[in-house]
Amino acid sequence: MPSSAALLQTQAYYSTAWAAAAADPARFWGDYARQFVWRKPWQTVYQADLAKPDIAWFSGAELNITENCLDRWAQLQPDAPALIWEPSHPDDAAKTYTYGQLLSEVTRLAAALRGLGVQRGDRVCIYLPMIPELAFAVLACARIGAVHSVVFGGFSPKSVADRLQDAGAKIVLTATGGHRAGKPIQLKNIVDEALLSCPGVSQVLVLNVPAIPAPMQPGRDLDWATTLADADANQGYAEPMEAEDMLFILYTSGSTGKPKGVVHTCAGYMVWAHFTFTNVFQYQRGQVFFCTADVGWITGHSYLLYGSLLAGATTLMFEGVPTWPTPARFWQVIDRHKVDIFYTAPTAIRSLMAAGDEHLQGADLGSLKVLGSVGEPINEEAWHWYHRNIGKGRCPIVDTWWQTETGGIMISPLAGVTPSIPAHATLPLPGVVPMLIDEHGAEVTGNPAQGNLVIKQAWPGMMRTTYGDHERFRQTYFSAYPGQYFTGDGAMRDADGNYRITGRVDDVINVSGHRIGTAEVENAINAADGVTESAVVGRPHDIKGQGLYAYVVYANPPQDHVVAHAQILAEVTKQIGAIAKPDWIQFVPGLPKTRSGKIMRRILRKIAEGDTANLGDTSTLLDPAVVDAIAQHRLT
Ligand code: PRX
C-alpha cells in the first residue's frame, strides 16, 4: 500500500537516492512503486526516447489511482479526515469528509457518470467552484477511467469553449454558481454561452447551489442530486486502467496563441505525486495539509488532491480568497483547522505582507511545521517575511520549482532535511537530472553557472503528449535541445549546486503565479475595435511578481483613451478571462520591428522596465524612430 512516510529523511539519504535514481532509474522507481496497489504488475519500469519523444512508465501494469487514494485508506483509517472544506464565508460551517465518506461520495458520482453513459477514455470537462463536489468530480472521473479536464472557474466562455472543443468533451460538470470574496458568482451561464459553439457536448450535470439559481435546458441539463439519487450503486467500481492510459488533460498557456492540453497518464503521475508530496513536505501521518491553489491549476491537481490523498493525509480545500473578509483569513483557517503544512504562492504572500502585520495579531499559527511556495520566483523580502511572521522562524520553507508539464515538484528543498535558501529552489529531487545550457546550445558545466534549464532524463511524472498534437509536444519541449526536455525557464546554479530560477525565457509570463501566453493576450487585444496590432511583455509588479504591459497600435489613434482602454480590458476578459487583463496599456504609433517583420520584444521589455538607456542597437530596425516615440511616452 502507498506509504504515508517520507523515504528521504536525512541529507545523506537524499544524496544516495539522487545518485541511485540518476544511475539506474528503472531499479529506483521499480523499488519505489511496489508500495502501491496494482491490479496487474508492470513488465517494464520505463522506456523513454526523448528525441522522438516516446515515454512510458510501468508498461503492462494495471491500476486505478483512486484505489490508491481512497480504497486503501478507507480500509486502514476509515474515520481519518480526508478532506476538510472551508467555505468562502467565515460564518458558514466547514465540512469534513473521512476517508470512508470520501470514498462513498466518489463512488456515488462515479456510478452516476457511468449511468449517463460516460465511458473509460471519454473526456469530461469540469467547471466547478472550489467546493467538495469538485474533488468528488475529479476522483469520480479517475475511478471510471474517464479523462478529466478541469477548467479554472475564472476563464471566459470562449476559453471554456476552446478547451471543450480541443478535448472533444461530451459532458460538462458544473454548478449554478459559487462564491468569491463574499459575492455570489454565476457559473452555469458561462457554460451555457460556451456551449453555443460546442455541439459535441450533449449533457451538462448541474449542481444546484440554492442561493444562485440558473435556468436549466431540458434534454441537455441534468440535476446533480436527482441523477445521483437515481444511479445504480453497483456501478461505482474502480475501472482497471493501463499504466499509460490518460488520467487527465490540463490546458496551459504556451508561446503560441492556442492553449495546449498537457496530458498526464495514470501510473507515472501517481508515483511522482506521492513521492514528491511525502518527501518535499516531509509529511507525517495525521498531518493537515493546506494548499491554497485552485484545483483548476496543476498545483491543485497534484497536491490539494492526488499527492495528499495518496499519502492518506488530511487535505484542506478553501473556497475563499486570502484577503476577504480581512487579510487575516488564511491565518484564521490555519488556526481553526490546526494546519501543519501550508503551501501557497509568492503573490499571496506579497499581498498579505503589503496589507500590514496588524492582521497577524491574534493569530497563533502554532500548528505549522512546514511552509511551501510555488508558481513563481519568491523574492527575498517575501521569503523572510514568510519565514519570520508565518513560520515564526521555526518552519522550513520549501520553494518548489515545477510546471504543469512536470506533473509534480522537480527542484526543491526537502523540508528540514536539505537546506532552505531564500529565493532558491535549491536541489533537484531524485529522478531529476537538470543541466544549464548557454546561448550556443552547449552545456554549462561547473559551478557557479547560468543558462537555460533543461532536464536530461525522463522522470515518472512528466507529461506524455500535447492532447491531439504529438508533434507540438516534440516541437515545444524537445526540439531546442534534441533528446532533452526544455523547461522554458532560465536558472542560475551557485557554488554548491543550488538552483535559483530566474524566470521564463520564452513568451510566457507568470502573473500572480498564473501562466499567461503573450500571444493569447495579443490576439484578444487585436480583436478590440480599431486595433491593428499589439505586443505584450512582462514588467515587474510589486504584488503580482510580473504584470502585463501592452503596447497597442490603432489604425487611427483613438479619440478617447479612457474608452479605448476599457474596450481592450473588456475584450481580454471576454476572450480569456479577467486574469489576463493588462496592468498597463500604452497607445503607440507603431512597434519596433526587424526588417523581416519580427517584433523586437527585448526593446519593449526594456522600455516597460524603465531601462531606456540600454536599449542596445536599434539601427537594424525597420523604423528606429518608433522606439524614441514609445520610450518618450512610457507609462510609469
Ligand atoms: O516559470 C516557472 C514558474 O512557473 C512556471 C510553470 O507554471 P505552471 O505550469 O502554471 O505551474 C505553476 C505551478 C507549478 C515555471 O516554468 N515557477 C513555478 N514554480 C516556481 C517558478 N519559478 C520560480 N520558482 C518556483 N518555485
Side-chain angles (χ1 to χ4, degrees), residues 150 248-254 260-265 269 272 295-303 374-375 400-410 459 461-465 473 477 485 487 489 504 508 510 513-516:
V150 183
F248 65 86
I249 307 173
L250 186 58
Y251 286 86
T252 188
S253 294
K260 49 186 176 225
V262 170
V263 171
H264 284 288
T265 55
Y269 175 82
W272 196 243
V295 173
W297 311 113
I298 190 71
T299 309
H301 281 58
S302 299
Y303 298 107
V374 59
T400 62
W401 173 82
W402 59 296
Q403 310 177 301
T404 306
E405 293 88 339
T406 68
I409 298 167
M410 300 286 282
W459 66 97
M462 73 190 300
M463 76 183 277
R464 300 296 196 261
T465 191
F473 178 53
Y477 305 101
Y485 172 81
T487 62
D489 279 317
R504 302 287 309 191
V508 171
N510 277 318
H514 296 152
R515 247 161 91 159
I516 312 272

Side-chain angles (χ1 to χ4, degrees), residues 136-458:
F136 307 160
V138 166
L139 295 164
C141 287
R143 194 156 184 88
I144 66 170
V147 180
H148 55 79
S149 163
V150 183
V151 178
F152 172 61
F155 277 122
S156 69
K158 178 168 182 305
S159 295
V160 177
D162 288 347
R163 286 158 175 74
L164 278 166
Q165 288 164 1
D166 189 80
K170 283 186 283 194
I171 179 165
V172 181
L173 310 191
T174 191
T176 50
H179 294 91
R180 193 163 298 144
K183 290 196 206 82
I185 48 153
Q186 303 276 337
L187 278 186
K188 167 116 190 330
N189 62 347
I190 306 225
V191 173
D192 286 340
E193 199 180 325
L195 292 192
L196 295 175
S197 54
C198 302
V201 176
S202 53
Q203 292 175 314
V204 183
L205 188 61
V206 186
L207 182 80
N208 182 33
V209 176
I212 313 169
M216 297 284 276
Q217 184 171 309
R220 186 196 72 184
D221 298 348
L222 303 154
D223 177 62
W224 190 290
T226 325
T227 309
L228 261 69
D230 293 347
D232 172 355
N234 295 323
Q235 292 298 305
Y237 58 89
E239 186 84 18
M241 303 300 290
E242 290 185 13
E244 283 297 332
D245 278 340
M246 277 191 281
L247 175 62
F248 65 86
I249 307 173
L250 186 58
Y251 286 86
T252 188
S253 294
S255 32
T256 68
K258 189 170 170 269
K260 49 186 176 225
V262 170
V263 171
H264 284 288
T265 55
C266 295
Y269 175 82
M270 170 180 78
V271 169
W272 196 243
H274 178 269
F275 178 78
T276 53
F277 175 79
T278 50
N279 287 297
V280 169
F281 299 108
Q282 291 288 303
Y283 169 74
Q284 295 188 13
R285 205 151 178 199
Q287 288 187 332
V288 179
F289 174 73
F290 177 14
C291 165
T292 68
D294 194 287
V295 173
W297 311 113
I298 190 71
T299 309
H301 281 58
S302 299
Y303 298 107
L304 200 167
L305 293 179
Y306 286 115
S308 48
L309 295 174
L310 283 165
T314 303
T315 186
L316 193 153
M317 177 190 245
F318 176 40
E319 191 190 15
V321 296
T323 46
W324 189 84
T326 73
R329 188 68 197 278
F330 272 173
W331 324 133
Q332 289 160 356
V333 174
I334 289 170
D335 283 343
R336 179 173 306 157
H337 300 290
K338 302 275 177 291
V339 169
D340 297 274
I341 306 169
F342 179 58
Y343 193 30
T344 195
T347 186
I349 299 168
R350 284 190 297 265
S351 75
L352 296 171
M353 183 170 84
D357 291 357
E358 64 270 25
H359 298 289
L360 279 157
Q361 274 165 19
D364 177 38
L365 303 177
S367 59
L368 288 174
K369 319 273 182 316
V370 171
L371 301 176
S373 170
V374 59
E376 51 171 315
I378 176 165
N379 49 309
E380 294 205 20
E381 193 192 356
W383 194 100
H384 285 293
W385 184 87
Y386 196 30
H387 189 249
R388 195 172 51 241
N389 293 285
I390 309 308
K392 310 288 184 197
R394 64 181 158 73
C395 301
I397 295 182
V398 289
D399 176 355
T400 62
W401 173 82
W402 59 296
Q403 310 177 301
T404 306
E405 293 88 339
T406 68
I409 298 167
M410 300 286 282
I411 302 183
S412 169
L414 307 178
V417 171
T418 62
S420 294
I421 307 169
H424 287 68
T426 72
L427 299 172
L429 296 192
V432 179
V433 185
M435 67 173 170
L436 298 175
I437 306 251
D438 68 15
E439 65 273 30
H440 309 295
E443 178 168 4
V444 194
T445 52
N447 294 336
Q450 176 155 19
N452 285 349
L453 180 62
V454 164
I455 313 289
K456 276 191 199 181
Q457 283 185 5

